[in-house]
Amino acid sequence: MSPTTIESILQEERLFQPPDTFSRTAHIKSMEEYQRLYNQAQADPEQFWAQLAEQELHWFQKWDKVLDWQPPFAQWFVGGKLNISYNCLDRHLTTERRDKLALIWEGEPGDSRTFTYTQLHREVCQMANVFKHLGVHKGDRVGIYMPMIPEAAIAMLACTRIGATHTVVFGGFSAEALKDRLLDAEAKVVVTADGSWRKDAIVPLKEQVDQALAGNAVPSVQSVLVVKRSGQLTHMDPGRDHWWHELRADASADCPAEPMDSEDPAFILYTSGTTGKPKGVVHTTGGYNLYTHITTKWIFDLKTDTDVFKGADIFWCTADVGWITGHSYIVYGPLSNGATTLMYEGAPRASNPGCIWDVVEKYHVTIFYTAPTAIRMFMKMGEDLPKARDLSSLRLLGTVGEPINPAAWMWYYQVIGGERCPIVDTWWQTETGGAMLTPLPGAIPTKPGSATLPFPGIVADVVDLEGNPVGDNQGGYLVIKNPWPSMIRTVYRNPDRYRSTYWEHIPPKDGQYLYFTGDGARRDRDGYFWVMGRVDDVINVAGHRLGTMEVESALVSHQAVAEAAVVGKPSEIKGEEIVAFVTLEEGYLPSAELVKELKQHVVREIGAIARPGDIKFTEALPKTRSGKIMRRLLRSLAAGEEVTGDTSTLEDRGVLDKLRS
Ligand code: WTA
């Protein structure tokens, strides 16, 4: 964890007040109102959440008990029955919103499609019926390996509609990574597309699925549903593979939403941890629906009128649906609120570096939510690109995924937001389901680089390893002190790992369980949180979480590699990049060729997001006497810093000298 610097303390003095014009129409209009909500939630959390659940969601049957907390296992709205897909679609159909745009989609080549709530509902019902036809029942798992096309969201909503548990695998993951996740989830059906447009080329997704399933490697998978997107010749396995457009032709658009128990699983999403094997984070129905709904509404100050002249928002979250941000803030949060959500297939590329701003201009996007890595990349591409477009429709900006440096924050504020848009820097995780530390834009003054204050109902703190709160501006571990509706319920088929990862690093304090986030943070004199990044063996590359052990396992699966240690190194644009220290097996020699080969090997094993920026060969790795690799030393070396601190536990001091040279 980086130490608190004088510079960052000075930055705090820069307070940005919410503009009056913004606050006047905001859902939460003032600091007093935020504080009132916060206190109310703290005084009686169950009453607070129950009231919101009642007001904001449709329930087929009301719960018997708001919260059943058997630490560390929580159940919310016990006995309640609802359906997320119903809350996202059906309930809007009896209102004026039925003809409102639910989803705007822009393809990379410039094609586009739009869906009103009525149209989206129809598509979802049809896909749900296709799933049923393929033998999917309530409780079955469906893998979704899709490009950023409407059918990705349609597949998710079709799953939750019939009570199937989806597990979306980011389309940038390799066949190998896909296979691991499908195996762990025991998926019955996989939904994919022939290919996806990415930087003016076609990525053949279906080929990856074929590779993942080759030789009946995932025996649970019975069918593959393929959406035609890119149109190239695609091999179809008779009996196993089906074209969506063919099955859709005969699929009924009548598919009532299944009343789900509030604690029935909604989805599993795999995320990297500190071991070689990704964890299946399990989210359930009622609590997830409620928390993503209310955070979308209050944090993005969402206006869900049907009329643009009354301020109806066009909400664009640039994440991929393969990540939790896409689940919560492209699909479930915005649709549950009845908003218009925008989905874009493309990315800035040589042929159109300003495409992001073209999309903002074309659709009059009002709320734009992206990652600091993207902002730093936009900054590098220069002001001319955004300035050549009309971005005046924007009224709110957001960021997520990594700490944002004050310089990028200021650029975003000035160049993109024209100094009129508040910025919400939202801190959260796959495990938290929705944003936890965040400004409410009409109420909470912001400081560049700080995710500010906890959302009402969330009790956060910065503590030491014994769970004692540390003082103002002292670095420590960020923890959450109370259960919240959208918290991770367990690690799929591995409750022990759930317990040990999140609840045992820091022991319960005075009988209170503390959720360990894995992040380091400090809190300033105003109670504002400054998240500094991971303190565990997780690297955050361009806002993507990667386990060092995952990359290490990928490297040692190559015949030339004896041992590998992976660390993060600060990177100007991506926040961090991967540096691997590798020792070779007898008979292999370091070479530029081998570096290339090993990088490629990691891409094959995990995906392009895990490609090491640098590979350094070494004769030995610095280890303690008990054989633990001293990553701290490697991190300093990778960053080109002086190795400081205690090195007395090193087994062989000579290793360090060799590495230095
Ligand atoms: C980091 C993404 C600083 C953090 C929603 C966390 C952040 C990890 C912020 C979760 C932020 C996310 N400021 N750091 N605003 N938001 N992080 O699971 O290290 O992909 O633990 O969820 O991203 O990444 P995940």
Side-chain angles (χ1 to χ4, degrees), residues 271 324-325 399-403 425-431 451 517 519 531 533-534 540 543 545:
T271 189
I324 191 69
T325 311
T399 109
V400 61
E402 315 149 66
D425 175 356
T426 62
W427 174 89
W428 57 293
Q429 309 178 301
T430 305
E431 294 86 342
T517 62
D519 278 315
V531 178
R534 304 292 305 196
N540 191 332
R545 266 168 81 165

PDB file of all heavy atoms in Angstrom, residues 271 324-325 399-403 425-431 451 517 519 531 533-534 540 543 545, ligand 1:
ATOM      1  N   THR A 271     -14.583 -14.098 -10.327  1.00  0.00           N
ATOM      2  CA  THR A 271     -13.636 -13.002 -10.182  1.00  0.00           C
ATOM      3  C   THR A 271     -12.337 -13.535  -9.608  1.00  0.00           C
ATOM      4  O   THR A 271     -12.316 -14.589  -8.982  1.00  0.00           O
ATOM      5  CB  THR A 271     -14.212 -11.872  -9.304  1.00  0.00           C
ATOM      6  OG1 THR A 271     -13.330 -10.752  -9.366  1.00  0.00           O
ATOM      7  CG2 THR A 271     -14.360 -12.293  -7.856  1.00  0.00           C
ATOM      8  N   ILE A 324     -19.016  -7.109 -13.315  1.00  0.00           N
ATOM      9  CA  ILE A 324     -20.144  -6.756 -12.433  1.00  0.00           C
ATOM     10  C   ILE A 324     -20.697  -5.376 -12.781  1.00  0.00           C
ATOM     11  O   ILE A 324     -21.898  -5.135 -12.675  1.00  0.00           O
ATOM     12  CB  ILE A 324     -19.728  -6.824 -10.941  1.00  0.00           C
ATOM     13  CG1 ILE A 324     -20.955  -6.738 -10.018  1.00  0.00           C
ATOM     14  CG2 ILE A 324     -18.744  -5.727 -10.582  1.00  0.00           C
ATOM     15  CD1 ILE A 324     -21.876  -7.908 -10.030  1.00  0.00           C
ATOM     16  N   THR A 325     -19.838  -4.463 -13.224  1.00  0.00           N
ATOM     17  CA  THR A 325     -20.312  -3.120 -13.549  1.00  0.00           C
ATOM     18  C   THR A 325     -21.355  -3.187 -14.664  1.00  0.00           C
ATOM     19  O   THR A 325     -22.369  -2.490 -14.623  1.00  0.00           O
ATOM     20  CB  THR A 325     -19.133  -2.208 -13.953  1.00  0.00           C
ATOM     21  OG1 THR A 325     -18.118  -2.347 -12.963  1.00  0.00           O
ATOM     22  CG2 THR A 325     -19.550  -0.763 -14.025  1.00  0.00           C
ATOM     23  N   THR A 399     -17.044   7.417 -12.402  1.00  0.00           N
ATOM     24  CA  THR A 399     -15.872   6.567 -12.609  1.00  0.00           C
ATOM     25  C   THR A 399     -15.900   5.395 -11.640  1.00  0.00           C
ATOM     26  O   THR A 399     -16.474   5.471 -10.570  1.00  0.00           O
ATOM     27  CB  THR A 399     -14.516   7.312 -12.489  1.00  0.00           C
ATOM     28  OG1 THR A 399     -13.857   6.897 -11.296  1.00  0.00           O
ATOM     29  CG2 THR A 399     -14.660   8.778 -12.490  1.00  0.00           C
ATOM     30  N   VAL A 400     -15.262   4.309 -12.031  1.00  0.00           N
ATOM     31  CA  VAL A 400     -15.237   3.089 -11.226  1.00  0.00           C
ATOM     32  C   VAL A 400     -14.087   2.190 -11.653  1.00  0.00           C
ATOM     33  O   VAL A 400     -13.656   2.250 -12.803  1.00  0.00           O
ATOM     34  CB  VAL A 400     -16.548   2.292 -11.373  1.00  0.00           C
ATOM     35  CG1 VAL A 400     -16.798   1.857 -12.803  1.00  0.00           C
ATOM     36  CG2 VAL A 400     -16.575   1.063 -10.447  1.00  0.00           C
ATOM     37  N   GLY A 401     -13.632   1.379 -10.735  1.00  0.00           N
ATOM     38  CA  GLY A 401     -12.715   0.293 -11.099  1.00  0.00           C
ATOM     39  C   GLY A 401     -11.316   0.424 -10.566  1.00  0.00           C
ATOM     40  O   GLY A 401     -10.627  -0.560 -10.353  1.00  0.00           O
ATOM     41  N   GLU A 402     -10.872   1.663 -10.378  1.00  0.00           N
ATOM     42  CA  GLU A 402      -9.516   1.889  -9.876  1.00  0.00           C
ATOM     43  C   GLU A 402      -9.515   3.231  -9.173  1.00  0.00           C
ATOM     44  O   GLU A 402     -10.392   4.052  -9.408  1.00  0.00           O
ATOM     45  CB  GLU A 402      -8.506   2.041 -11.023  1.00  0.00           C
ATOM     46  CG  GLU A 402      -8.587   1.092 -12.141  1.00  0.00           C
ATOM     47  CD  GLU A 402      -8.137   1.793 -13.415  1.00  0.00           C
ATOM     48  OE1 GLU A 402      -6.946   2.145 -13.506  1.00  0.00           O
ATOM     49  OE2 GLU A 402      -8.963   1.999 -14.304  1.00  0.00           O
ATOM     50  N   PRO A 403      -8.469   3.455  -8.399  1.00  0.00           N
ATOM     51  CA  PRO A 403      -8.308   4.808  -7.871  1.00  0.00           C
ATOM     52  C   PRO A 403      -8.105   5.763  -9.050  1.00  0.00           C
ATOM     53  O   PRO A 403      -7.426   5.411 -10.013  1.00  0.00           O
ATOM     54  CB  PRO A 403      -7.025   4.713  -7.039  1.00  0.00           C
ATOM     55  CG  PRO A 403      -6.825   3.249  -6.764  1.00  0.00           C
ATOM     56  CD  PRO A 403      -7.412   2.535  -7.952  1.00  0.00           C
ATOM     57  N   ASP A 425     -17.319   9.281  -8.127  1.00  0.00           N
ATOM     58  CA  ASP A 425     -16.258   8.266  -8.090  1.00  0.00           C
ATOM     59  C   ASP A 425     -16.787   7.169  -7.176  1.00  0.00           C
ATOM     60  O   ASP A 425     -16.893   7.356  -5.968  1.00  0.00           O
ATOM     61  CB  ASP A 425     -14.986   8.908  -7.522  1.00  0.00           C
ATOM     62  CG  ASP A 425     -13.846   7.903  -7.315  1.00  0.00           C
ATOM     63  OD1 ASP A 425     -14.049   6.696  -7.529  1.00  0.00           O
ATOM     64  OD2 ASP A 425     -12.750   8.353  -6.917  1.00  0.00           O
ATOM     65  N   THR A 426     -17.153   6.034  -7.786  1.00  0.00           N
ATOM     66  CA  THR A 426     -17.845   4.992  -7.025  1.00  0.00           C
ATOM     67  C   THR A 426     -16.908   3.837  -6.721  1.00  0.00           C
ATOM     68  O   THR A 426     -16.368   3.213  -7.626  1.00  0.00           O
ATOM     69  CB  THR A 426     -19.035   4.448  -7.840  1.00  0.00           C
ATOM     70  OG1 THR A 426     -18.532   3.848  -9.038  1.00  0.00           O
ATOM     71  CG2 THR A 426     -20.007   5.552  -8.205  1.00  0.00           C
ATOM     72  N   TRP A 427     -16.736   3.542  -5.449  1.00  0.00           N
ATOM     73  CA  TRP A 427     -15.917   2.388  -5.064  1.00  0.00           C
ATOM     74  C   TRP A 427     -16.817   1.199  -4.746  1.00  0.00           C
ATOM     75  O   TRP A 427     -17.752   1.320  -3.949  1.00  0.00           O
ATOM     76  CB  TRP A 427     -15.053   2.675  -3.821  1.00  0.00           C
ATOM     77  CG  TRP A 427     -14.350   1.422  -3.387  1.00  0.00           C
ATOM     78  CD1 TRP A 427     -13.135   0.984  -3.807  1.00  0.00           C
ATOM     79  CD2 TRP A 427     -14.869   0.398  -2.524  1.00  0.00           C
ATOM     80  NE1 TRP A 427     -12.862  -0.249  -3.251  1.00  0.00           N
ATOM     81  CE2 TRP A 427     -13.910  -0.627  -2.460  1.00  0.00           C
ATOM     82  CE3 TRP A 427     -16.053   0.247  -1.801  1.00  0.00           C
ATOM     83  CZ2 TRP A 427     -14.085  -1.783  -1.699  1.00  0.00           C
ATOM     84  CZ3 TRP A 427     -16.248  -0.909  -1.053  1.00  0.00           C
ATOM     85  CH2 TRP A 427     -15.251  -1.906  -1.003  1.00  0.00           C
ATOM     86  N   TRP A 428     -16.522   0.078  -5.390  1.00  0.00           N
ATOM     87  CA  TRP A 428     -17.248  -1.152  -5.061  1.00  0.00           C
ATOM     88  C   TRP A 428     -16.560  -2.331  -5.710  1.00  0.00           C
ATOM     89  O   TRP A 428     -15.484  -2.183  -6.297  1.00  0.00           O
ATOM     90  CB  TRP A 428     -18.723  -1.054  -5.440  1.00  0.00           C
ATOM     91  CG  TRP A 428     -19.038  -0.740  -6.887  1.00  0.00           C
ATOM     92  CD1 TRP A 428     -18.782   0.425  -7.545  1.00  0.00           C
ATOM     93  CD2 TRP A 428     -19.690  -1.595  -7.821  1.00  0.00           C
ATOM     94  NE1 TRP A 428     -19.240   0.334  -8.841  1.00  0.00           N
ATOM     95  CE2 TRP A 428     -19.804  -0.876  -9.031  1.00  0.00           C
ATOM     96  CE3 TRP A 428     -20.207  -2.896  -7.757  1.00  0.00           C
ATOM     97  CZ2 TRP A 428     -20.397  -1.432 -10.169  1.00  0.00           C
ATOM     98  CZ3 TRP A 428     -20.802  -3.434  -8.881  1.00  0.00           C
ATOM     99  CH2 TRP A 428     -20.894  -2.699 -10.075  1.00  0.00           C
ATOM    100  N   GLN A 429     -17.150  -3.505  -5.587  1.00  0.00           N
ATOM    101  CA  GLN A 429     -16.510  -4.753  -6.041  1.00  0.00           C
ATOM    102  C   GLN A 429     -17.556  -5.731  -6.559  1.00  0.00           C
ATOM    103  O   GLN A 429     -18.739  -5.605  -6.221  1.00  0.00           O
ATOM    104  CB  GLN A 429     -15.823  -5.441  -4.852  1.00  0.00           C
ATOM    105  CG  GLN A 429     -14.922  -4.569  -4.047  1.00  0.00           C
ATOM    106  CD  GLN A 429     -14.335  -5.320  -2.860  1.00  0.00           C
ATOM    107  OE1 GLN A 429     -15.062  -5.820  -2.019  1.00  0.00           O
ATOM    108  NE2 GLN A 429     -13.013  -5.389  -2.807  1.00  0.00           N
ATOM    109  N   THR A 430     -17.090  -6.727  -7.288  1.00  0.00           N
ATOM    110  CA  THR A 430     -17.961  -7.812  -7.729  1.00  0.00           C
ATOM    111  C   THR A 430     -18.765  -8.343  -6.531  1.00  0.00           C
ATOM    112  O   THR A 430     -19.961  -8.607  -6.626  1.00  0.00           O
ATOM    113  CB  THR A 430     -17.104  -8.958  -8.314  1.00  0.00           C
ATOM    114  OG1 THR A 430     -16.282  -8.409  -9.350  1.00  0.00           O
ATOM    115  CG2 THR A 430     -17.968 -10.064  -8.872  1.00  0.00           C
ATOM    116  N   GLU A 431     -18.088  -8.471  -5.411  1.00  0.00           N
ATOM    117  CA  GLU A 431     -18.701  -9.054  -4.218  1.00  0.00           C
ATOM    118  C   GLU A 431     -19.750  -8.157  -3.590  1.00  0.00           C
ATOM    119  O   GLU A 431     -20.621  -8.634  -2.859  1.00  0.00           O
ATOM    120  CB  GLU A 431     -17.627  -9.334  -3.161  1.00  0.00           C
ATOM    121  CG  GLU A 431     -16.610 -10.396  -3.539  1.00  0.00           C
ATOM    122  CD  GLU A 431     -15.427  -9.850  -4.350  1.00  0.00           C
ATOM    123  OE1 GLU A 431     -15.540  -8.730  -4.908  1.00  0.00           O
ATOM    124  OE2 GLU A 431     -14.403 -10.541  -4.426  1.00  0.00           O
ATOM    125  N   ALA A 451     -13.506   8.626  -3.139  1.00  0.00           N
ATOM    126  CA  ALA A 451     -14.851   8.082  -3.399  1.00  0.00           C
ATOM    127  C   ALA A 451     -15.826   8.602  -2.336  1.00  0.00           C
ATOM    128  O   ALA A 451     -16.967   8.141  -2.255  1.00  0.00           O
ATOM    129  CB  ALA A 451     -14.816   6.560  -3.427  1.00  0.00           C
ATOM    130  N   THR A 517     -12.317  -6.168   2.383  1.00  0.00           N
ATOM    131  CA  THR A 517     -12.465  -5.831   0.969  1.00  0.00           C
ATOM    132  C   THR A 517     -11.241  -6.194   0.144  1.00  0.00           C
ATOM    133  O   THR A 517     -11.317  -6.264  -1.078  1.00  0.00           O
ATOM    134  CB  THR A 517     -12.666  -4.312   0.799  1.00  0.00           C
ATOM    135  OG1 THR A 517     -11.488  -3.657   1.310  1.00  0.00           O
ATOM    136  CG2 THR A 517     -13.889  -3.817   1.565  1.00  0.00           C
ATOM    137  N   ASP A 519      -8.853  -4.125  -0.034  1.00  0.00           N
ATOM    138  CA  ASP A 519      -8.313  -2.817  -0.428  1.00  0.00           C
ATOM    139  C   ASP A 519      -7.717  -2.082   0.767  1.00  0.00           C
ATOM    140  O   ASP A 519      -8.199  -2.213   1.892  1.00  0.00           O
ATOM    141  CB  ASP A 519      -9.425  -1.936  -1.018  1.00  0.00           C
ATOM    142  CG  ASP A 519      -9.690  -2.255  -2.474  1.00  0.00           C
ATOM    143  OD1 ASP A 519      -8.714  -2.409  -3.233  1.00  0.00           O
ATOM    144  OD2 ASP A 519     -10.868  -2.365  -2.844  1.00  0.00           O
ATOM    145  N   VAL A 531      -9.425   5.405  -1.345  1.00  0.00           N
ATOM    146  CA  VAL A 531      -9.061   4.011  -1.568  1.00  0.00           C
ATOM    147  C   VAL A 531      -7.747   3.974  -2.328  1.00  0.00           C
ATOM    148  O   VAL A 531      -7.587   4.664  -3.334  1.00  0.00           O
ATOM    149  CB  VAL A 531     -10.159   3.271  -2.362  1.00  0.00           C
ATOM    150  CG1 VAL A 531      -9.746   1.830  -2.638  1.00  0.00           C
ATOM    151  CG2 VAL A 531     -11.476   3.318  -1.588  1.00  0.00           C
ATOM    152  N   GLY A 533      -5.977   0.996  -3.262  1.00  0.00           N
ATOM    153  CA  GLY A 533      -5.743  -0.162  -4.136  1.00  0.00           C
ATOM    154  C   GLY A 533      -5.610  -1.430  -3.323  1.00  0.00           C
ATOM    155  O   GLY A 533      -5.668  -1.421  -2.098  1.00  0.00           O
ATOM    156  N   ARG A 534      -5.388  -2.519  -4.033  1.00  0.00           N
ATOM    157  CA  ARG A 534      -5.398  -3.836  -3.404  1.00  0.00           C
ATOM    158  C   ARG A 534      -4.204  -4.013  -2.464  1.00  0.00           C
ATOM    159  O   ARG A 534      -3.098  -3.575  -2.763  1.00  0.00           O
ATOM    160  CB  ARG A 534      -5.350  -4.927  -4.485  1.00  0.00           C
ATOM    161  CG  ARG A 534      -6.460  -4.853  -5.509  1.00  0.00           C
ATOM    162  CD  ARG A 534      -7.819  -5.162  -5.005  1.00  0.00           C
ATOM    163  NE  ARG A 534      -7.932  -6.448  -4.359  1.00  0.00           N
ATOM    164  CZ  ARG A 534      -9.114  -7.051  -4.113  1.00  0.00           C
ATOM    165  NH1 ARG A 534     -10.254  -6.488  -4.491  1.00  0.00           N
ATOM    166  NH2 ARG A 534      -9.148  -8.202  -3.491  1.00  0.00           N
ATOM    167  N   ASN A 540      -4.679  -4.863 -10.319  1.00  0.00           N
ATOM    168  CA  ASN A 540      -5.754  -4.189 -11.019  1.00  0.00           C
ATOM    169  C   ASN A 540      -5.175  -3.576 -12.297  1.00  0.00           C
ATOM    170  O   ASN A 540      -4.569  -2.518 -12.275  1.00  0.00           O
ATOM    171  CB  ASN A 540      -6.329  -3.110 -10.096  1.00  0.00           C
ATOM    172  CG  ASN A 540      -7.614  -2.534 -10.635  1.00  0.00           C
ATOM    173  OD1 ASN A 540      -7.844  -2.507 -11.841  1.00  0.00           O
ATOM    174  ND2 ASN A 540      -8.459  -2.058  -9.743  1.00  0.00           N
ATOM    175  N   GLY A 543      -8.367  -1.546 -14.574  1.00  0.00           N
ATOM    176  CA  GLY A 543      -9.663  -1.759 -13.944  1.00  0.00           C
ATOM    177  C   GLY A 543     -10.112  -3.208 -13.954  1.00  0.00           C
ATOM    178  O   GLY A 543     -11.208  -3.522 -13.520  1.00  0.00           O
ATOM    179  N   ARG A 545      -9.533  -7.012 -12.572  1.00  0.00           N
ATOM    180  CA  ARG A 545      -8.886  -7.726 -11.472  1.00  0.00           C
ATOM    181  C   ARG A 545      -8.225  -8.990 -11.959  1.00  0.00           C
ATOM    182  O   ARG A 545      -8.859  -9.809 -12.610  1.00  0.00           O
ATOM    183  CB  ARG A 545      -9.963  -8.144 -10.491  1.00  0.00           C
ATOM    184  CG  ARG A 545     -10.169  -7.210  -9.400  1.00  0.00           C
ATOM    185  CD  ARG A 545     -11.435  -7.582  -8.694  1.00  0.00           C
ATOM    186  NE  ARG A 545     -11.227  -8.680  -7.762  1.00  0.00           N
ATOM    187  CZ  ARG A 545     -12.123  -8.985  -6.823  1.00  0.00           C
ATOM    188  NH1 ARG A 545     -13.246  -8.312  -6.733  1.00  0.00           N
ATOM    189  NH2 ARG A 545     -11.883  -9.966  -5.994  1.00  0.00           N
TER     190      ARG A 545
HETATM  191  C1  WTA B   1     -10.975  -1.382  -7.297  1.00  0.00           C
HETATM  192  C2  WTA B   1     -15.454  -3.341 -10.007  1.00  0.00           C
HETATM  193  C3  WTA B   1     -10.517   2.889  -6.188  1.00  0.00           C
HETATM  194  C4  WTA B   1     -10.749  -1.880  -5.876  1.00  0.00           C
HETATM  195  C5  WTA B   1     -16.725  -2.575  -9.640  1.00  0.00           C
HETATM  196  C6  WTA B   1     -11.759  -3.026  -5.762  1.00  0.00           C
HETATM  197  C7  WTA B   1     -11.622   1.022  -6.980  1.00  0.00           C
HETATM  198  C8  WTA B   1     -11.722  -3.606  -7.153  1.00  0.00           C
HETATM  199  C9  WTA B   1     -12.772   1.800  -7.254  1.00  0.00           C
HETATM  200  C10 WTA B   1     -12.995  -4.333  -7.502  1.00  0.00           C
HETATM  201  C11 WTA B   1     -12.712   3.212  -6.977  1.00  0.00           C
HETATM  202  C12 WTA B   1     -13.176  -0.270  -7.772  1.00  0.00           C
HETATM  203  N1  WTA B   1     -11.565   3.697  -6.453  1.00  0.00           N
HETATM  204  N2  WTA B   1     -10.516   1.578  -6.449  1.00  0.00           N
HETATM  205  N3  WTA B   1     -13.724   4.027  -7.242  1.00  0.00           N
HETATM  206  N4  WTA B   1     -13.710   0.962  -7.745  1.00  0.00           N
HETATM  207  N5  WTA B   1     -11.908  -0.243  -7.327  1.00  0.00           N
HETATM  208  O1  WTA B   1     -14.569  -6.684  -8.567  1.00  0.00           O
HETATM  209  O2  WTA B   1      -9.435  -2.355  -5.754  1.00  0.00           O
HETATM  210  O3  WTA B   1     -13.907  -5.796 -10.844  1.00  0.00           O
HETATM  211  O4  WTA B   1     -11.403  -3.972  -4.778  1.00  0.00           O
HETATM  212  O5  WTA B   1     -15.420  -4.533  -9.307  1.00  0.00           O
HETATM  213  O6  WTA B   1     -11.517  -2.485  -8.019  1.00  0.00           O
HETATM  214  O7  WTA B   1     -12.968  -4.771  -8.830  1.00  0.00           O
HETATM  215  P1  WTA B   1     -14.212  -5.530  -9.440  1.00  0.00           P
END
